[in-house]
Amino acid sequence: MTAPYRLIGSTPSPYSNKLRALLRYRRISHVWVPRTVAVEAEIAHVKPQIVPMLRFPEETDYRVDSTPLAHALEARHGARSVVPADSADAFLCHLIEDFADEWVTKIMFHYRWYYAADADFAQAWIVDEHQPGADANRRAQAMAYMRERQQGRMALVGCTSDNAPIIEESFADLLAALEPHLNGAAFLFGSRPSLADFALYGQLKMLATDPTPQAVLREKAPRLDVWLRAMDDASGVEGDWRESGAKPAPAIAALLGLVGRDYLPFLAANARAWEAGEEEMAVQLRGRRYAQAPFRYQVKCLSALREAFAGLDAGSRQRIAPWLETAGCLEAIDAQGVSA
């Protein structure tokens, strides 16, 4: 019998939840291993030290980064694909997944460490999972270290007091975009979940668990809260992709509007600042100044989106270009003017 995949992750990690839910939906045999002190020696050599870490059945080492892992699984397991069959929808799926992984995670991180009640909750959750059975003194020290470390990173990733109104408005608009549509058996690209659904799920599950955003989500988006619970294990879902060539569903159109308003202007400003060697990137979002340190990884994200758009067949590009333009996305993505 072939050994199952071995997934090491953490329940407070949005990306761990994303990949675990994807494995469950695809009915891929795997063993879930919480990242506790008991497994640290096993994974000490893995670079970078991020979760989730996935070991393939025939391999001895672990791979990291949820998006490449999802695509590696897509290439190996044909059944129950999470990438829409229509190439234009596959690109939109890529764009929304990237938005969830790189922008919605700022919303998650902001709420988790900005408010005292959430930081209290998170530090205990993280430490108690990683060090089960720690005595009171060790637990208190670990929690204080975790809180100081994470809050010390807030300015680096843009989760500052100055940026807080932008981030919280973006969260409210995200809930408004999804609540009317993602409920019951509905998903972004049909009656089956896509990689974009799983990426949103990973971040939103954290926001539906941490105290302050949980209260907001339950008040503003109660049906979305139920959808998140269903997404945790969608192994019983049977469904189809939406009709090829169809106009964007309302949820997709609303999400593209958020991508064009918040995420792509941030990515473009980040790329300009990185390439100019600047220590700070700044951009006007929602009528306010948003600033943080530029990141190389997000330069790669923008490049990957542009390459994916340019790699579409001409018909698919021309079909979705008006949708992207309406949402304010096209200029940043179509840097070479290939849609013309």
Side-chain angles (χ1 to χ4, degrees), residues 5 12 76 96 109 114 119 125 136 169 184 208 221-222 226 272 295 339:
Y5 288 83
R76 290 165 62 99
I96 294 169
F109 198 81
Y114 187 73
W125 182 12
E169 284 181 18
V226 174
R272 288 192 297 269
F295 274 88
S339 66

Side-chain angles (χ1 to χ4, degrees), residues 43 61 75 112 152 179 212 216 254 257 277 290 308 319:
I43 61 175
D61 212 344
R112 177 163 286 178
E179 171 65 3
T212 299
V216 175
Y290 176 97
R319 175 154 51 92

Side-chain angles (χ1 to χ4, degrees), residues 102-107 109-110 153-164 166-167 262-263 265-267 269-274 277-285 288-299:
E102 303 299 326
W103 181 262
V104 183
T105 199
K106 293 181 184 296
I107 300 173
F109 198 81
H110 160 77
R153 296 183 66 244
M154 292 182 74
L156 189 67
V157 298
C159 296
T160 64
S161 294
D162 288 341
N163 292 339
I166 297 170
I167 291 171
D262 296 330
Y263 183 48
F266 159 74
L267 277 189
N270 179 77
R272 288 192 297 269
W274 180 268
E278 297 171 354
E279 294 184 358
E280 180 184 74
M281 59 77 55
V283 63
Q284 286 293 116
L285 299 178
R288 298 184 177 91
R289 184 179 187 269
Y290 176 97
Q292 68 164 81
F295 274 88
R296 182 183 179 186
Y297 186 85
Q298 287 158 349
V299 175

Side-chain angles (χ1 to χ4, degrees), residues 13-236:
S13 158
Y15 305 102
S16 295
N17 282 276
K18 168 189 173 183
L19 194 63
R20 183 174 65 174
L22 185 150
L23 285 163
R24 288 172 172 173
Y25 166 70
R26 301 195 68 169
R27 302 170 185 165
I28 296 173
S29 179
H30 66 282
V31 174
W32 163 256
V33 182
R35 183 177 181 174
T36 67
V37 290
V39 300
E40 288 299 339
E42 177 186 347
I43 61 175
H45 64 288
V46 178
K47 301 296 182 185
Q49 280 282 304
I50 58 174
V51 289
M53 301 177 180
L54 184 65
R55 190 178 72 192
F56 285 58
E58 72 282 6
E59 297 178 357
T60 58
D61 212 344
Y62 287 90
R63 306 187 197 183
V64 298
D65 198 334
S66 65
T67 298
L69 288 172
H71 284 288
L73 293 170
E74 184 77 16
R76 290 165 62 99
H77 299 277
R80 297 174 70 77
S81 170
V82 294
V83 176
D86 179 85
S87 60
D89 280 353
F91 173 79
L92 297 178
C93 176
H94 176 182
L95 177 58
I96 294 169
E97 186 216 10
D98 203 59
F99 162 74
D101 281 354
E102 303 299 326
W103 181 262
V104 183
T105 199
K106 293 181 184 296
I107 300 173
M108 184 280 299
F109 198 81
H110 160 77
Y111 277 105
R112 177 163 286 178
W113 299 109
Y114 187 73
Y115 293 103
D118 300 85
D120 290 344
F121 177 82
Q123 68 182 20
W125 182 12
I126 294 167
V127 170
D128 287 343
E129 179 170 295
H130 183 249
Q131 301 182 31
D135 62 43
N137 184 57
R138 183 175 179 83
R139 180 175 183 267
Q141 290 178 345
M143 288 194 300
Y145 168 77
M146 175 59 63
R147 188 182 193 130
E148 181 179 1
R149 187 185 75 172
Q150 296 300 84
Q151 291 184 333
R153 296 183 66 244
M154 292 182 74
L156 189 67
V157 298
C159 296
T160 64
S161 294
D162 288 341
N163 292 339
I166 297 170
I167 291 171
E168 295 194 5
E169 284 181 18
S170 191
F171 180 46
D173 286 349
L174 178 63
L175 298 182
L178 297 178
E179 171 65 3
H181 311 295
L182 296 190
N183 55 79
F187 303 97
L188 291 175
F189 294 94
S191 55
R192 59 189 290 176
S194 70
L195 186 51
D197 292 277
F198 286 108
L200 287 166
Y201 157 78
Q203 304 297 332
L204 286 167
K205 183 179 181 182
M206 302 298 93
L207 288 157
T209 304
D210 294 346
T212 299
Q214 180 193 72
V216 175
L217 192 145
R218 289 185 175 181
E219 177 187 358
K220 302 295 186 182
R223 292 187 297 174
L224 179 61
D225 191 37
V226 174
W227 181 85
L228 292 170
R229 298 172 195 279
M231 279 289 289
D232 190 56
D233 187 344
S235 58

